[in-house]
Amino acid sequence: MADDLDLNDQIRGVAMAVRHWFDIRDLEALQRSVGILPTPGAKAPIDKHLRVLTVTALPPQIVRLKSDAPMVTLHYMQDVYDDGTLRADPWRWWFAWVSVELIARLGPDRDGSMTRRFVAEDPSIESVRRHAPRWLAANPLRLQLVERRLVELVDRASASDSSPGRTIEERLRGYLGGYLSRTLVDAMAAEAASIAASITLRLDERARRG
């Protein structure tokens, strides 16, 4: 057990080093810097028409690696770039940042469950969950993640032993009406969890090598 605890501490240490190489920009601050939102004291007019392009698919912070980040940092983020299905986009970088922060503070997230709970439940990012459709809009391939979950809900509502006394139509309305927004959040949290598990695996490899 002592060895495991020691390894966990080493993984946290590597994560602390990695988070130094993240460049975090607040979306609203970026909007102000490019003239999409008004800046106090600025005389140039703002272009309100462009703002819709920046709020329909982006997370609240824009995350990237610093230009002088070491190559090994790219290795840790390998599955952020491409996991075989989804390739890097602003949300995957946001999930990576969240994952590394959690690992640095709380330890390894080998199955992604810690990050999944944070994304799905933590009150500090309730505003992110309210705008879960932005996550969906950022990459059409994410529809597949949501569609699989919706199929499961339809199958459950169609089961003969589901809510006896109610018609299939009533059960479908109950399941889909009550679960659609939750389905988006669950799918978003599942993607974040897979990124966290991947990053933990690579941090673990580094920590074991000493």
Side-chain angles (χ1 to χ4, degrees):
M1 180 62 71
D3 290 339
D4 290 340
L5 291 174
D6 183 60
L7 176 62
N8 290 350
D9 284 342
Q10 291 180 55
I11 292 172
R12 288 186 62 213
V14 179
M16 288 177 187
V18 169
R19 71 179 180 181
H20 167 76
W21 298 109
F22 280 122
D23 179 20
I24 314 299
R25 305 289 182 88
D26 183 74
L27 178 58
E28 185 173 308
L30 283 174
Q31 290 172 326
R32 295 187 189 283
S33 69
V34 299
I36 296 175
L37 283 180
T39 302
K43 296 180 180 180
I46 64 170
D47 190 341
K48 297 179 181 179
H49 300 290
L50 290 177
R51 192 181 180 213
V52 67
L53 300 177
T54 69
V55 299
T56 53
L58 295 176
Q61 289 85 24
I62 303 302
V63 181
R64 58 188 176 185
L65 291 179
K66 295 177 181 177
S67 59
D68 56 345
M71 287 298 296
V72 68
T73 309
L74 300 179
H75 171 70
Y76 300 141
M77 303 296 123
Q78 184 173 324
D79 287 281
V80 175
Y81 283 105
D82 188 353
D83 68 355
T85 301
L86 290 167
R87 295 185 177 181
D89 67 20
W91 281 96
R92 292 181 71 77
W93 279 109
W94 193 80
F95 293 147
W97 171 50
V98 169
S99 301
V100 169
E101 284 288 338
L102 290 174
I103 294 168
R105 296 179 189 183
L106 304 175
D109 193 10
R110 292 185 172 87
D111 60 359
S113 58
M114 179 169 63
T115 302
R116 181 194 295 267
R117 285 194 303 273
F118 179 84
V119 172
E121 301 172 7
D122 196 276
S124 69
I125 59 167
E126 177 57 31
S127 61
V128 176
R129 289 189 288 275
R130 286 200 303 269
H131 297 294
R134 293 182 186 177
W135 160 82
L136 187 65
N139 190 327
L141 290 177
R142 290 192 170 102
L143 278 171
Q144 298 174 11
L145 300 174
V146 176
E147 286 170 354
R148 285 198 292 269
R149 175 61 176 154
L150 290 177
V151 168
E152 294 173 1
L153 292 174
V154 170
D155 289 343
R156 191 184 307 171
S158 303
S160 58
D161 59 348
S162 174
S163 301
R166 302 175 67 194
T167 66
I168 290 180
E169 290 81 2
E170 290 171 337
R171 294 199 295 267
L172 282 173
R173 289 194 194 97
Y175 273 98
L176 298 183
Y179 284 104
L180 184 55
S181 61
R182 187 72 223 179
T183 296
L184 292 181
V185 172
D186 287 345
M188 184 171 68
E191 184 179 342
S194 68
I195 288 175
S198 169
I199 290 174
T200 297
L201 175 63
R202 298 184 191 284
L203 296 178
D204 184 290
E205 293 170 350
R206 175 65 183 83
R208 288 178 187 276
R209 290 198 304 269

